[in-house]
Amino acid sequence: MADLTQTLLACQSPDPATRSAAEQALTQAESTNLPQFFLALATELSSEGKDVNTRQLAGLHLKNLISAKSDALREERAARWTQISSAERASIKSLLISALLSMDGTARHTAAQACAEVAAVELPFTEWPEFLPALMENVSKAENADGVKISSLECLGFTCELLAVQGHDIAQDVTNQMLTTIVDGIRADRPETIRLAAAIALRNSLLFTAKNMENVNERNMIMQTICEATQSADVKVRAAAYECIVTIAFQYYDKLAAYMQTLFNLTFETIRKDEETVALQAIEFWNTLCEEEMEILDEVAEAAENGEQPERTCANYVTSALEHLIPLLSEQLTKQEEDADVEEEWNISMASATCLNLVANTVEDAIIPVIMPFVQGNIQNENWRLREAATMAFGSVLEGPSAEVIGTYVNQSIAVLLTALADPHAMVKDTSAWTLGRICDLHVRSIPHESFPSLVTGLMNILLTETPRVSSQACFALHNLAAAFALDENDNGTNALSQYMPMLLQTLLQVTEREGWDECNLRMGAYEAVNVLIQHAAPDCKPLFIQLLPVILERLTQSFSLPVLTNEDRDAKEGLQGLLCGVVQVLCIKMDKESVMPYADTIMQNTLQVLQSKSAAAHEEALLATGALADQLLADFEKYLAHLQPFILQGLRNYEAYQVCQVAVGLVGDLARAVEGKLQPYCDDIITVLLQSLQNPDLHRDVKPPVLSCFGDIAMAIGGAFDKYLQVTLIMLLQASQTQVPDDDEELIEYINSLREGILEAYTGIVQGLKDGNKGEILMPYLEAIMAFLEMLANDENKDQAVLSKAIGCTGDFASSLGIRVSAYVQKPFVQSLLQEGRDTEDETIIATCDWVASLIMQILQVSR
């Protein structure tokens, strides 16, 4: 490149044409001779006489030639780097290392980032042996400027962070060199700026120090170094040291025993007396202990249930500290900040409430006798801080303890909390409403029957009169109260909420348009409360919903006329449309066809108009509402298919907003069940797009199982007409059935089970659909491969119960459809193995399926004889 300096500067030009030409020149240089381009950028970065802005731009551009957000692109760029010859790479790396010694801090910092990107590619393959010795020398050499030491430690920290994110392992000697360099930098006699960089690097390196932590002497050295750093005069160093302690609690819980008394003393003193940024990290240590102990206790319980020995032992650090930890956290609850933005600011009072919640979930019933004296002694105190803290403490420990232990206190609290909704201090009202919401969510059965009317009216009365935040908490409480009726039998056609429904719905709809609707997620909270009230309403509320639907549709119609002057206006408009579509959906589900039919045209006109917007969230809700309408109208929905199809295809292609894609797939299934054979004219396009989506690398993996299942829905709908899609569909299903995952990756095992469930649902739908169309025999060429898949499932110890159930059902569907033609397969041992495993589940539905399959097999064998 003729003049890299000027080209880099031109990339920052305010003139679009100049900027575009410069960016094209850089792209051209990259594609023409990549090694030479890397070298030119590294030379620019390391040249002391150059302008610092161009040096920084060169370093960042070099870094970005290797880094990438997506794993696939990062691997591609790393491979491109490694294809450069060793000699050329050595020249580039030498310049990058030299830039760490620059006199300019910006250049050094940029060089640290660029070096780290290269090191993260090369160190896992034991390349660049000069890298760590150079950093060690930079840090330990007395005559080097502090800035050089800081940038070298920064580089080490960036490298560790990248290696951790990318999941690379590195050689033990590399880890040892890293630790030696870091510990040298964090020594108490070092300047605080160097200690800070070293502490951050140490935190990032802890993932790789497992073998060092196994060695007692090395572990003691690491812990001593960190604990000394918690006593630094610099607040940032202290906070970074506690971040290291938090990481150790997470990574090396089983190594904490020898240090717990020291950590107990350090964290307690810090929480009481240190600056908030440091104290927050000390609380985070206890949060992490709680999370680790909850996980271990779950593992222990699961092992006991399976008659196995647990792999880990819980040291019960949280239980041991309970008598001291709870008073400490309670004290911090009184340090509220009245003007804090709850969604954006984090303070020690909020952190302590979160920690209390985690402690309660860890020790469960044991927390109640320790926390309740503080709650009962202060919940009606004259000092608002103590009132709010006591209420927050009670709300924070509602989850964890059993209803038998906490139920009495919940029973007694309702009247006090309802009175507190009128407290003179806003924070007390806010926390009281939140606590009532938590009670409605977690302990609704402990609410006294006689308190129910005052609870509903008390919450309803503050919806329009209190601040948006308090009103939002009241919506949360009503939402949870309504959800508690999900399992209500409604034997007499009514429930306890019915008499309040008209006023509740009217008031909540007013809330969505009140002053402050755009604060604290108030509008969303109110509409969600409306939805849950509708979902769990008793049958006697049906006339109310018939009146409500046209009101919601009128609001939706009017929303298209709302003015849009700013991006905020557009977001609010599209957000409102999504929320209103959500209400339409639950109303369609709750009402019957006769009641919905008169409004079907209006619903479709509105949802189709919403689908013309650019909001993914609104699209999702509109598609869900459309599916709910189709479920009610069934065959009568056919007249809307031609208008809807372009938006279905658009949704199926929306790989970026994968939730929309997933909902669109679900809608195809809804339509298949609703209109059945009348879907056939639209199937060519739909199946083409579904097959394209499965082949697209950008498709989110969570969408693949429902896409596979969708083929079964379509086959069931169009019956024998599915034959034209059979070959290409079965090839895709057979390819998907070959997917394997490691036995030790629980997340991937869960995913593969969902994928196999989708495959089985597809097979079931296809075989039933073809049977109904008298074309079952065309499956015969594929039978061997399908049965091999079922046999593989029979032998898979990681399959879940849903896969087992569907595998048994699928076996029965093939037996029912193909009869004697599957006799050779149903006699194979894996079939009996599946049936036995199904009977062993003791699940009545699965056992009934097993009996059905067994009877089919018996009939086939009798005929074949």
Side-chain angles (χ1 to χ4, degrees), residues 435-452:
T435 302
L436 285 167
R438 297 263 293 169
I439 289 171
C440 292
D441 182 28
L442 300 165
H443 295 287
V444 70
R445 302 300 172 198
S446 297
I447 298 173
H449 180 72
E450 62 274 14
S451 297
F452 189 83

Side-chain angles (χ1 to χ4, degrees), residues 10 139 181 253 272 287 314 350 466 665 802:
V139 173
T181 307
Y253 173 89
R272 280 197 189 95
N287 289 348
C314 183
M350 297 174 187
E466 286 298 338
V665 173

